[in-house]
Amino acid sequence: CRAVVMFAYKGLSRRVACALRSPARVVLGIETSCDETGAAVMDETGRILGETLHSQKEIHLKAGGIIPTVAQRLHKEHICRVVQEALDRSGVAPSELSAVATTVKPGLALSLGVGLKFSLSFVKLHQKPFIPIHHMEAHALTVRMFQPVEFPFLVLLVSGGHSLLALARGVDDFVLLGQTLDEAPGDTLDKVARRLSLVKHPKCCSLSGGQAIELLAKEGDRLKFQFKIPMGQHYDCNFSFAGLRNQVTIAINKKEKEEGILQGQLLSCVQDIAAATQHTVALHIAKRTFRAILFCKAKGHLPQSNPTLVVSGGVASNEYIRETLRIVTDATGLQLLCPPSEFCTDNGVMIAWNGVERLKEGKGIVSHTQEVCYEPK
């Protein structure tokens, strides 16, 4: 009997030792959907082993907006270094990777092309599985790196290129409830900042348009300008920001005439315009989100216990918009969750995490020999 027990114990010990020696699966994530070149190496527990991010913000800020050909050139110049640095910091060799995950949609075509071309060459060279990533799905799932958020949950994605509301039912299962019909909120805030020439403001010269609006809005009076909230007569969950931008432009033109200044010069009331613009954007987002919550509750799409709204994307870093949404979630009994600000914007970490989630469930993984195309829209 003792011999049988010892044999079983030794067999168990060998299995435990083997499990301890077996390395956790590791994913390399690559992001080039717009103006950030990002790469990260992550294991299947969500531990970030190595990360590098090269931002093009300063160059595009000087140009007054993102120029696709410039973004493409900068991605080409930096992608090899960014990926190699992430690998070096992780201590993981390409041969030890379990898969490579890369953004293939949506985004700027020229930017997506750089990341995809590099990735396909990389996986063919090292014969690794490839995981094509939907950029918005990656934003939607980033919060699960930090908190155990169970499906289903409602997700609001707001950034410089997108705005949408969706019901997340699984790693690759999303029901789209609403999206922008024209431009994204981040794009609107950037264009208003550009029209106000905030890059010339001493407090804003190194900030993006959205950051400049948020900073100056803290000093402004949002009631000085009354902008109409978009789509008041449309009872759905879609967004529209182009009409609001037109309202703001008309107000700026009027104030320039009143103050006798030329376009390109700073108005005395930039803080008030910034505050009113931000407030109206926040209210529009909050109202559409409120409607999406009511719809999901009426249809039984959210769990009775601890229903959740996840907010992500670059605009989710805006504290005023976040607090406006908190009023909505407090009133409807949802918990509001956002990834840390540094993970709301584009980065390689969120792509690697989406790759990890897909790898665990065996979804969306293709062979290194398979051709994959990018999809800007």
Side-chain angles (χ1 to χ4, degrees), residues 24-36:
R25 290 179 294 181
V26 179
V27 173
L28 167 65
I30 298 174
E31 155 65 19
T32 63
S33 67
C34 190
D35 60 341
E36 310 279 6

Side-chain angles (χ1 to χ4, degrees), residues 24-62:
R25 290 179 294 181
V26 179
V27 173
L28 167 65
I30 298 174
E31 155 65 19
T32 63
S33 67
C34 190
D35 60 341
E36 310 279 6
T37 311
V41 180
M42 177 181 289
D43 68 19
E44 60 187 323
T45 69
R47 190 162 56 106
I48 302 169
L49 305 177
E51 178 194 3
T52 306
L53 183 69
H54 176 81
S55 176
Q56 304 175 4
K57 186 179 81 171
E58 287 188 13
I59 292 173
H60 293 299
L61 195 61
K62 292 176 182 176

